[in-house]
Amino acid sequence: MREVAERLERARRVAIFSHVDPDGDAAGSALGLAHVLRDSGRDARVFLPGGAPDLYRFLPGADGVEADPDGVPADRDLLVVVDATSPSRLAGLEGALGSGPPVVNVDHHGDNTRFGAAHWVDPGACATALMVYEWARAAGLSVSPAAATCLYAGIVTDTGRFTFSNTDARCLAAAAALAALGASPHEIAVSVYDRASPASVRLLAAVLSTLDLRAGGRIASVHVTRAMLEETGARAEDSDGFSTYPRSIDGVQVGLFFRETEEGAVKVSFRSNGGVRIDGVAGRFQGGGHPSASGARVPGPLSTAKEAVVRAVEEHLRGSDG
Ligand SMILES: [Mn+2]
């Protein structure tokens, strides 16, 4: 942490980047860091691939989020990448790194490639937003209600509302402190979780009807196709939370969620129960993530991708049976 902290302290004009398909922690940690830096007299710009996701537009500062830059903004003296395991996760932003100012890498994914001039990777942190909060406290910097709101949002979403196995005393203590600093747990929960459109509920019904149980009920999967999005009028991001359903079924050790992308590839979310590690299987498909929550992007079509992934998970479960 120390070298990253020193570089942040010296920086005056910072650009902050995060990963493709920005989730609550990507947006929350990037915006929270930007608030803390600005409140301590720095200039900070936030870049997210595709801009701020609709779901996180309510976060203070989301209006100012910029999409892919044309190269590194020339006046920056430090680039900070948050919540991204490798530069390839930055998609269109990847090209902005490497030629310009030094990069520091702040992340909580154990499989982070430790890229950048300095890195701070803490797999024990429930969210990158937690790390940003702890850095701000250690540096003696103030955390405004706006910053607290962004950082809390990162923590609550990356812990599945404080239910995933990464939820621990450290993360709850930070959440409590952020609430004391002005984050509203209720308003954030309503903004993120209680805002289903009719189309998104119809999409959920369609997706759940694809439920497929394999390996004697130890593997469960559901999928969403482009056609289902068209038929229901839902948006791709409306399915963001659906990966939790297959895993929640009694007896399921691995839950899979397959999403057909616009380009014809298939995004796979891996979720596991009961100490089954799933990040290695995601890694076989050039993906990665956390031991019980990982992701990968697999070539289509959907049926082929699904069979390949299910087979790999079956093999993995047989292997872990010893
Ligand atoms: Mn995260």
Side-chain angles (χ1 to χ4, degrees):
M1 175 185 190
R2 201 201 306 149
E3 199 189 343
V4 167
E6 283 169 5
R7 285 177 183 268
L8 284 168
E9 198 173 314
R10 283 199 303 273
R12 287 294 167 266
R13 288 172 304 280
V14 178
I16 302 165
F17 299 83
S18 193
H19 59 76
V20 285
D21 301 322
D23 58 10
D25 191 28
S29 61
L31 287 165
L33 175 61
H35 284 296
V36 173
L37 289 170
R38 287 176 193 141
D39 294 344
S40 59
R42 277 105 171 154
D43 182 82
R45 290 169 68 181
V46 176
F47 296 90
L48 295 175
D54 282 347
L55 185 56
Y56 300 105
R57 286 271 157 80
F58 74 94
L59 291 175
D63 287 351
V65 169
E66 301 169 70
D68 314 21
D70 302 320
V72 179
D75 63 338
R76 302 291 104 179
D77 54 30
L78 187 69
L79 308 183
V80 184
V81 178
V82 291
D83 202 45
T85 48
S86 78
S88 65
R89 293 278 291 145
L90 304 177
L93 305 180
E94 184 180 4
L97 305 187
S99 50
V103 174
V104 303
N105 162 11
V106 179
D107 187 26
H108 69 130
H109 295 90
D111 61 348
N112 184 288
T113 60
R114 274 73 176 172
F115 62 92
H119 65 260
W120 173 30
V121 177
D122 182 357
C126 64
T128 301
L130 170 69
M131 299 170 67
V132 172
Y133 167 69
E134 291 181 345
W135 158 76
R137 262 194 54 161
L141 300 175
S142 73
V143 176
S144 66
T149 297
C150 297
L151 297 175
Y152 182 97
I155 292 173
V156 73
T157 53
D158 253 24
T159 57
R161 317 186 209 189
F162 306 111
T163 64
F164 295 162
S165 57
N166 60 357
T167 307
D168 58 11
R170 173 184 172 193
C171 137
L172 292 168
L178 291 165
L181 288 164
S184 165
H186 175 67
E187 282 173 25
I188 294 167
V190 168
S191 301
V192 178
Y193 296 112
D194 286 352
R195 25 168 291 175
S197 63
S200 73
V201 176
R202 286 193 186 97
L203 181 68
L204 176 61
V207 167
L208 293 181
S209 74
T210 69
L211 176 64
D212 184 18
L213 288 164
R214 300 284 190 91
R218 296 159 78 195
I219 303 171
S221 74
V222 295
H223 64 254
V224 59
T225 62
R226 301 303 302 175
M228 286 156 73
L229 293 176
E230 265 161 46
E231 281 156 21
T232 57
R235 302 162 305 170
E237 61 262 36
D238 287 331
S239 69
D240 279 352
F242 292 3
S243 60
T244 59
Y245 289 98
R247 176 172 66 176
S248 68
I249 299 167
D250 285 344
V252 166
Q253 289 178 304
V254 176
L256 300 168
F257 177 42
F258 297 91
R259 286 189 256 196
E260 209 175 49
T261 70
E262 264 170 87
E263 307 82 44
V266 178
K267 279 177 61 180
V268 189
S269 301
F270 299 78
R271 300 287 183 269
S272 64
N273 280 323
V276 173
R277 280 196 71 141
I278 204 63
D279 48 341
V281 183
R284 287 173 56 182
F285 296 95
Q286 280 73 53
H290 302 287
S292 59
S294 290
R297 191 177 283 259
V298 181
L302 176 66
S303 55
T304 314
K306 183 178 159 182
E307 285 314 310
V309 169
V310 168
R311 218 174 310 123
V313 174
E314 275 174 340
E315 271 168 38
H316 177 64
L317 289 181
R318 271 202 297 276
S320 48
D321 286 342

